[in-house]
Amino acid sequence: MSSGSAVGHLFTLAAGPVLTRIYGPAEFGMLGLFTSLLSILVVAVTLQYEISIVIGKDEHEAAYLTFASLLLTVPVSLLSGAILWFLIHESMLGYGTLPWFAPLLIVLSVAFIGCFTTLRYWALREGQFTWIGQASIVQSAARATLQTVFGAVGLKVSGLLMGETLGRGMGMSRILRGSWPVLKCHAREFRWRELADAMRRHRKFPLYSFPSSLLDAICLALPLPLLVQMYGVSLGGQYSLVWKAITVPSVLISVSIADTFHSTLANSIRESPERVMKIYRMTSLGLFFTGLAPAVVLIVWGPSLFGWVFGARWALAGSIAAIIAPWYLAQFVASPLSRVVVVLSGQEVKLLWDVLCLISLLSVFFAARSMSLVPLQTISALSAVYTLLYVAYYLMLSHIVARFEKSRVASIQAS
C-alpha cells in the first residue's frame, strides 16, 4: 500500500513542471479553490462511518457499515454541489471565478471519493493492501495524464477541473471486483433495521470524530480562498503550487515515519512503557533534522529554484516558498508526532488546537484587511502564526507524553 502511494505521488510530482507550462497561475488558482472546498466536503461525505468498517465486530456488521457509508455519499454529494453553486452565485471567497459547471464536477468528485474511501477501508479490513496500492497508482497517473491531455488541446481551467474529477473516478474497479462478491451476499439479505443498529452502535464517529476532522480540514483549506478573496486568483495559484510542490515529496517521508512511530509507540506502551519518552524524543529530533535541509533550500534558493523547475512565471511561488519554509518545517515535525493523540488518548488536546488554529487564521486575515497588507506580508504573518501554532502543538504533545511518563512512574512507586 505504501509503495503504491509513493508511486502515485511520483506521478504527481513528475507532471508538475509540465502542467505549469501548460496552465497559468490563474488556472491553478481556480483548481486550488476547487480542491480546497473538496478537501473540506470529503470529510463529511460518510460522516466518518467509513473508519468504523475496520473495527466492525464481524463481517456482517462491517458490511452494513460499508452500505451506510455508500448511502450517505449520495445526499452529501448533492449537497456539495449546492454549496459550491451558492458560493459561485454569491461570488464568495473568490469562487465566483469558477466555471458554471464546477458544481456538477464537485458532485462527481465527492461521490467518487466517498465510494473509493469506503471501499478502501473495506479492503484494509480484508488485508488487501495490493488493491489499494494499485488504485492509488491508477488515480494519480490518470489525473496527471488527463490534465496534461486536456491542457494540450486548449481546455485550460476546464481541463484541470475535469482531469481532477475524472481521475478520482479511476482505480476503483480493482477494489470493487474484489469486494463485491462478499458485499453482494450481505446485500441480498439487507435490512434497514440492521443498518440503523450498526450506525447507532458506531455513532461516536459522526458525533466526536467528525467535528474535529471537519475543523481540521477547514483550518488547512481556508487560507487559499481567503487569499484569493483579498488578492485575486493568480496569487492563489502561486500559493497553491507551493504547497503542492513541497508536500508531495515530503509526504513520502512523513507518512512512513508516522506509521513507524505509531506502531513502535503502541508496542512500547504494551511491552516496555519506559521507552515511550525516548522514542518520542528521538523521533522528534529525526524529523527536525530531516525537514531542516529542504527548509533551508527553500529559504536560500526558493525563487530561482521554482522559476527553473516550473517556469519563469512561477518565480513568485518561490518567494512564497521561502516565506513559509519555517511553517513547513514545524508542520513536518508535528504532524507525524500527532499519532500520540490516538495512542495516548489526547483527543481533547487536538480539538483545542483545532479551535485555536481557526481563531488565529481568521485573526490574521482580519488584521491583514484592516492594515491593508500586501500579499507577501499577509503570507509572512500566516507563516509566523502557523509556525507558532505547530510549536505549541508540539509542546501539547510533549505534555501528553510527559503525563504518561509521570503516571507510569507513580504506578511503579505505588506498587
Side-chain angles (χ1 to χ4, degrees):
M1 182 173 67
S2 297
S3 61
S5 299
V7 174
H9 285 305
L10 289 177
F11 272 110
T12 304
L13 189 63
V18 178
L19 294 176
T20 53
R21 286 167 170 81
I22 297 175
Y23 302 101
E27 286 84 11
F28 263 83
M30 285 183 264
L31 175 64
L33 286 171
F34 184 86
T35 54
S36 292
L37 181 61
L38 184 62
S39 68
I40 297 172
L41 295 172
V42 296
V43 174
V45 67
T46 65
L47 300 183
Q48 303 280 288
Y49 270 114
E50 81 280 7
I51 301 174
S52 64
I53 293 171
V54 179
I55 62 172
K57 65 179 181 181
D58 52 33
E59 184 182 272
H60 184 73
E61 183 178 73
Y64 270 94
L65 292 169
T66 301
F67 297 147
S69 299
L70 292 173
L71 289 171
L72 285 168
T73 296
V74 177
V76 175
S77 299
L78 296 173
L79 179 61
S80 299
I83 291 172
L84 182 53
W85 177 87
F86 176 78
L87 291 173
I88 293 173
H89 185 263
E90 300 297 324
S91 294
M92 294 177 63
L93 297 174
Y95 281 94
T97 60
L98 293 185
W100 64 269
F101 55 83
L104 299 176
L105 295 181
I106 210 160
V107 169
L108 290 174
S109 295
V110 172
F112 286 150
I113 293 173
C115 292
F116 176 77
T117 304
T118 300
L119 293 174
R120 178 179 180 272
Y121 274 95
W122 176 268
L124 283 173
R125 178 185 176 86
E126 298 295 300
Q128 298 295 342
F129 305 115
T130 303
W131 299 352
I132 301 171
Q134 291 172 348
S136 298
I137 293 173
V138 171
Q139 284 194 342
S140 297
R143 283 205 300 271
T145 302
L146 290 171
Q147 288 174 337
T148 302
V149 171
F150 289 153
V153 299
L155 290 182
K156 296 302 179 183
V157 67
S158 301
L160 275 177
L161 296 180
M162 287 193 297
E164 180 72 24
T165 300
L166 296 176
R168 292 189 179 277
M170 305 292 182
M172 283 190 286
S173 60
R174 179 67 187 91
I175 303 180
L176 187 59
R177 285 198 309 272
S179 305
W180 181 239
V182 177
L183 292 174
K184 181 172 64 174
C185 295
H186 293 283
R188 288 172 177 167
E189 302 174 357
F190 182 85
R191 298 288 184 275
W192 286 104
R193 184 182 184 86
E194 292 190 48
L195 179 74
D197 289 342
M199 295 176 71
R200 185 173 61 253
R201 283 193 294 271
H202 293 270
R203 63 186 179 275
K204 65 179 181 180
F205 288 95
L207 289 178
Y208 303 113
S209 178
F210 168 63
S212 178
S213 298
L214 183 63
L215 195 58
D216 188 45
I218 291 173
C219 291
L220 290 174
L222 198 54
L224 176 62
L226 290 173
L227 285 170
V228 171
Q229 177 80 7
M230 289 184 64
Y231 303 113
V233 70
S234 292
L235 179 79
Q238 301 275 356
Y239 178 85
S240 177
L241 177 67
V242 171
W243 281 109
K244 186 182 291 291
I246 66 178
T247 55
V248 167
S250 66
V251 76
L252 301 177
I253 301 171
S254 62
V255 170
S256 177
I257 294 175
D259 289 342
T260 303
F261 174 67
H262 190 155
S263 175
T264 305
L265 193 68
N267 289 335
S268 295
I269 289 173
R270 292 191 300 267
E271 299 172 6
S272 51
E274 71 280 357
R275 296 183 63 242
V276 167
M277 180 62 77
K278 181 180 179 180
I279 291 169
Y280 177 77
R281 288 173 176 170
M282 294 300 294
T283 305
S284 300
L285 287 173
L287 284 165
F288 177 77
F289 287 111
T290 302
L292 184 62
V296 170
V297 170
L298 291 175
I299 292 171
V300 177
W301 294 291
S304 57
L305 187 62
F306 269 71
W308 177 69
V309 174
F310 299 109
R313 58 182 170 178
W314 297 97
L316 177 59
S319 299
I320 295 173
I323 291 171
I324 68 172
W327 176 3
Y328 155 78
L329 177 59
Q331 184 182 31
F332 183 82
V333 173
S335 292
L337 295 174
S338 65
R339 300 295 181 91
V340 164
V341 169
V342 178
V343 178
L344 294 178
S345 301
Q347 286 83 356
E348 73 285 354
V349 171
K350 180 64 169 60
L351 182 59
L352 173 64
W353 187 78
D354 286 334
V355 172
L356 185 61
C357 273
L358 184 58
I359 293 172
S360 301
L361 171 64
L362 297 176
S363 299
V364 167
F365 279 95
F366 177 79
R369 183 175 289 277
S370 300
M371 300 168 64
S372 300
L373 298 182
V374 299
L376 292 184
Q377 288 176 323
T378 301
I379 294 172
S380 296
L382 264 180
S383 180
V385 167
Y386 267 91
T387 301
L388 291 174
L389 283 169
Y390 275 107
V391 170
Y393 191 32
Y394 174 79
L395 294 176
M396 291 177 179
L397 296 174
S398 300
H399 173 72
I400 294 173
V401 177
R403 185 177 62 189
F404 171 81
E405 178 66 13
K406 183 178 179 180
S407 175
R408 182 188 70 83
V409 172
S411 63
I412 293 175
Q413 291 174 345
S415 60

